[in-house]
Amino acid sequence: MPKKRERISDELLISKGVWALDPSLPLSTRQVGLITGLGIDQLKERRRTRPPKPPYPYRGDDDKRGSAVWYPLGEALAYKRERLPRTLPLDFEQPNAPVIHRASAFDSPTPQLSPMPADHARDQVGSVLEVLSRLLVSAQAAQTPQVARPRSRSRAALPAPTAPPTAAPRKPVQLTLRQAIQLYTEAESRGLKPNTWAQRRRAFESFAASVGEGVPVSAIGREAVGEWAHGMLLAGTSVQPGPKRQAGATKRTVGNMVSHLAQLFAFLGTRGKLSGANPAKGAVVFSKKEKAARRAEGFQWEAFDLVALQLIFKPDNLARVRTEHVRWAALIGLYTGARVSEIAQLYLADFVEEQGVPCMRITTDSDGQSLKTAASRRVVPIHPDLVRLGLLDRVERLRREEKTRLFPEMRIDGKAGAGNSISKGFGFHLNRLGIRPRRSTGILGFHSLRKTVVQELQASGLPAERRRAFVGHEAGDDVHQADYMRAWTAAELAELFPGLRWSKWLQLDLIRPLLK
């Protein structure tokens, strides 16, 4: 161990003034690490290698197990100087530059260095240390924390370079359920249909009332979602406690609520606010057996039979429908099988001619239009009976009047969707005529026209792929249809018209005066 043990501050070791100090000054292993960038374990390994690798400690310091190891300052500086990048503006190969004469630490008690004038050394290494000082600061931070000391006023102690401020690591912010719902509302609510957003918000509020708005999202697991779903099965879906709660919700209703909640967690996952599996996904699942049982029990839309159709479209009954858009929409639905929203949002620009066949486009090219699925985007040929009823005449008249939509007086931005006005008017028409579902669990409405058209086209003898394309259903699962077939042309789809034999009983000449 060296007898001369002058105390050197860490600030001085990482400053330019270190090059002007006595190279025989002893340094601890930690201080050598500050200068060289080597860790304590790396320095130990370099001493144990045979032969040892620089920097070399004082002779004999590593012979006694457990004793402190000291290094000459000159050894640390020599190690660093030999590894300086050649592109830096420091040239130690100049004839007048000080040269370090190194001998093995095991042959000489102290490495000998030629004297180095302080001013000359500062000029030589100033620009290099500007680069190294920042690296050494990070190395210092990785070692033992330093106690603040007043700066030395000696001539040798030069001002230490200012280290860039290091921000203390912040604890991750725990996003609460209330904040997550607010974030989703701001980002996603405008892109949803009003009725869909109302149902989704209701699911969010119900879940928040169950687990608490202040609970961290990261703490919500599948168990919490399961308990909430089970509670709705027992006590209903109302978010307000008390006697007004429903007696109990159906599994289908609860499944829809859970599906809405799953959208919240999926959104948080894409935003990086939640890691791991979606706790709501798959919390309520309908098996194939349960779905088949529901269908067997009649929980589905029913098609109209011939008697009901003749009653609905009887001219005297149709004349009692107050709104023109309901009369027109019902007839368009009978001949196209289109969804009520698709008919309600038709623009005059959607009426085109392709291959000599008048068509209407189901698309999203205009304001307020939306589609249920990708397969919903299609071109539908217009049946000759609709032309005879004056549909194209209506389109031309509205164009001359500088209108833009097929039903310009009807709102399509309602909370319940674009076709809500048509659905309500048609449903009132059915109730007035006394048309009811055949089963207590069945459903009759405007959508029943779509099912009626699909079933009527089954007898057309044309392939199912063409029927799917006509009504906008998804393609089959086989590769042949999904990947290899092209889109059907308007003329090819028009070959389905003979399958819609409504004119056999529909009194077109008496209905035409009821339409404009």
Side-chain angles (χ1 to χ4, degrees):
M1 179 184 299
K3 296 180 179 180
K4 184 179 180 182
R5 294 178 55 191
E6 181 178 336
R7 190 165 195 168
I8 307 175
S9 67
D10 291 343
E11 290 84 354
L12 181 57
L13 288 176
I14 62 174
S15 69
K16 300 177 183 178
V18 69
W19 297 90
L21 298 179
D22 184 353
S24 65
L25 291 177
L27 301 179
S28 67
T29 304
R30 181 186 62 80
Q31 290 175 318
V32 173
L34 290 179
I35 296 177
T36 62
L38 297 172
I40 294 178
D41 291 338
Q42 291 176 303
L43 289 169
K44 288 182 179 179
E45 186 65 27
R46 299 180 77 85
R47 294 198 307 269
R48 293 170 184 170
T49 303
R50 290 296 180 265
K53 296 181 180 180
Y56 302 113
Y58 281 102
R59 182 180 180 184
D61 272 3
D62 59 344
D63 293 341
K64 298 179 181 179
R65 186 176 298 275
S67 62
V69 178
W70 297 87
Y71 289 80
L73 171 62
E75 272 294 322
L77 295 178
Y79 178 89
K80 179 168 66 174
R81 185 185 65 175
E82 291 179 359
R83 285 155 182 80
L84 290 176
R86 289 295 183 183
T87 56
L88 295 177
L90 177 63
D91 187 4
F92 284 96
E93 305 301 330
Q94 297 178 11
N96 298 327
V99 179
I100 296 178
H101 303 281
R102 171 181 291 165
S104 172
F106 293 90
D107 297 333
S108 176
T110 304
Q112 299 298 320
L113 288 80
S114 60
M116 180 185 293
D119 293 338
H120 182 72
R122 291 171 192 153
D123 293 339
Q124 292 283 337
V125 303
S127 56
V128 176
L129 287 179
E130 287 294 335
V131 177
L132 291 176
S133 60
R134 296 188 180 185
L135 299 176
L136 294 176
V137 167
S138 61
Q140 178 186 10
Q143 303 293 333
T144 308
Q146 301 301 311
V147 180
R149 300 186 182 94
R151 293 185 177 181
S152 173
R153 295 184 178 273
S154 64
R155 293 182 62 186
L158 299 178
T162 304
T166 304
R170 295 184 299 178
K171 295 182 178 179
V173 179
Q174 292 287 338
L175 188 71
T176 65
L177 179 59
R178 179 177 60 254
Q179 293 170 332
I181 294 174
Q182 179 63 28
L183 184 63
Y184 183 93
T185 302
E186 295 171 353
E188 300 292 326
S189 61
R190 294 182 181 179
L192 299 174
K193 293 182 179 179
N195 195 38
T196 302
W197 170 236
Q199 296 174 12
R200 189 155 298 174
R201 183 175 58 187
R202 181 187 180 198
F204 293 169
E205 292 173 352
S206 175
F207 183 70
S210 174
V211 301
E213 292 184 338
V215 63
V217 173
S218 58
I220 298 175
R222 184 174 291 272
E223 182 179 2
V225 178
E227 291 179 355
W228 168 62
H230 186 71
M232 288 189 290
L233 288 171
L234 297 178
T237 59
S238 174
V239 297
Q240 298 295 335
K244 292 185 178 181
R245 292 176 66 90
Q246 301 175 12
T250 64
K251 186 176 181 181
R252 182 179 181 85
T253 301
V254 174
N256 290 337
M257 296 281 281
V258 172
S259 178
H260 283 299
L261 181 65
Q263 295 299 317
L264 171 64
F265 292 111
F267 165 79
L268 296 176
T270 58
R271 287 293 186 93
K273 303 292 185 181
L274 182 67
S275 59
N278 188 326
K281 187 175 182 179
V284 177
V285 178
F286 274 91
S287 65
K288 291 183 179 180
K289 185 177 180 179
E290 288 177 314
K291 292 179 180 179
R294 281 185 61 85
R295 287 194 295 268
E297 293 171 2
F299 288 95
Q300 58 183 333
W301 285 97
E302 293 183 1
F304 292 118
D305 56 24
L306 181 58
V307 175
L309 287 174
Q310 290 174 339
L311 192 60
I312 291 170
F313 292 98
K314 185 178 180 180
D316 292 343
N317 294 335
L318 205 57
R320 298 170 63 186
V321 177
R322 293 182 300 175
T323 53
E324 185 182 30
H325 57 263
V326 174
R327 292 193 293 268
W328 262 120
L331 287 164
I332 294 174
L334 182 66
Y335 279 97
T336 64
R339 300 177 179 91
V340 63
S341 60
E342 296 172 344
I343 298 173
Q345 64 189 15
L346 281 172
Y347 275 69
L348 302 181
D350 295 326
F351 289 85
V352 296
E353 185 175 302
E354 292 192 4
Q355 299 175 323
V357 180
C359 305
M360 60 183 187
R361 300 182 306 167
I362 308 298
T363 182
T364 56
D365 292 345
S366 302
D367 294 337
Q369 293 181 321
S370 62
L371 298 177
K372 182 179 180 180
T373 65
S376 301
R377 187 183 302 273
R378 62 196 187 278
V379 176
V380 181
I382 298 176
H383 196 285
D385 289 352
L386 289 176
V387 177
R388 183 178 172 185
L389 288 170
L391 178 58
L392 297 183
D393 294 338
R394 175 183 175 84
V395 171
E396 292 302 322
R397 176 177 60 82
L398 292 174
R399 284 173 175 168
R400 290 193 300 269
E401 295 174 1
E402 298 184 350
K403 305 295 184 180
T404 58
R405 293 195 295 115
L406 183 63
F407 306 123
E409 306 301 328
M410 185 187 69
R411 291 185 56 185
I412 60 174
D413 58 349
K415 181 179 179 180
N420 183 55
S421 177
I422 296 175
S423 296
K424 283 187 174 181
F426 189 76
F428 183 77
H429 182 51
L430 296 180
N431 291 333
R432 184 168 49 199
L433 297 175
I435 299 176
R436 302 286 186 271
R438 290 184 295 275
R439 303 187 64 169
S440 60
T441 53
I443 309 172
L444 275 181
F446 194 94
H447 197 74
S448 299
L449 291 172
R450 180 173 174 83
K451 190 165 187 177
T452 303
V453 169
V454 172
Q455 292 184 358
E456 190 71 11
L457 289 176
Q458 283 184 256
S460 66
L462 293 175
E465 293 92 340
R466 200 176 306 194
R467 301 197 302 268
R468 291 193 187 102
F470 184 74
V471 298
H473 277 150
E474 294 287 348
D477 295 332
D478 60 294
V479 175
H480 173 72
Q481 181 180 355
D483 297 337
Y484 287 86
M485 290 183 62
R486 57 168 172 79
W488 294 93
T489 66
E492 290 169 338
L493 293 178
E495 294 179 11
L496 291 165
F497 288 162
L500 300 176
R501 300 179 294 270
W502 310 133
S503 58
K504 288 185 176 181
W505 53 266
L506 202 61
Q507 298 173 294
L508 300 179
D509 294 337
L510 297 179
I511 295 176
R512 173 64 190 266
L514 304 176
L515 306 171
K516 294 181 181 180

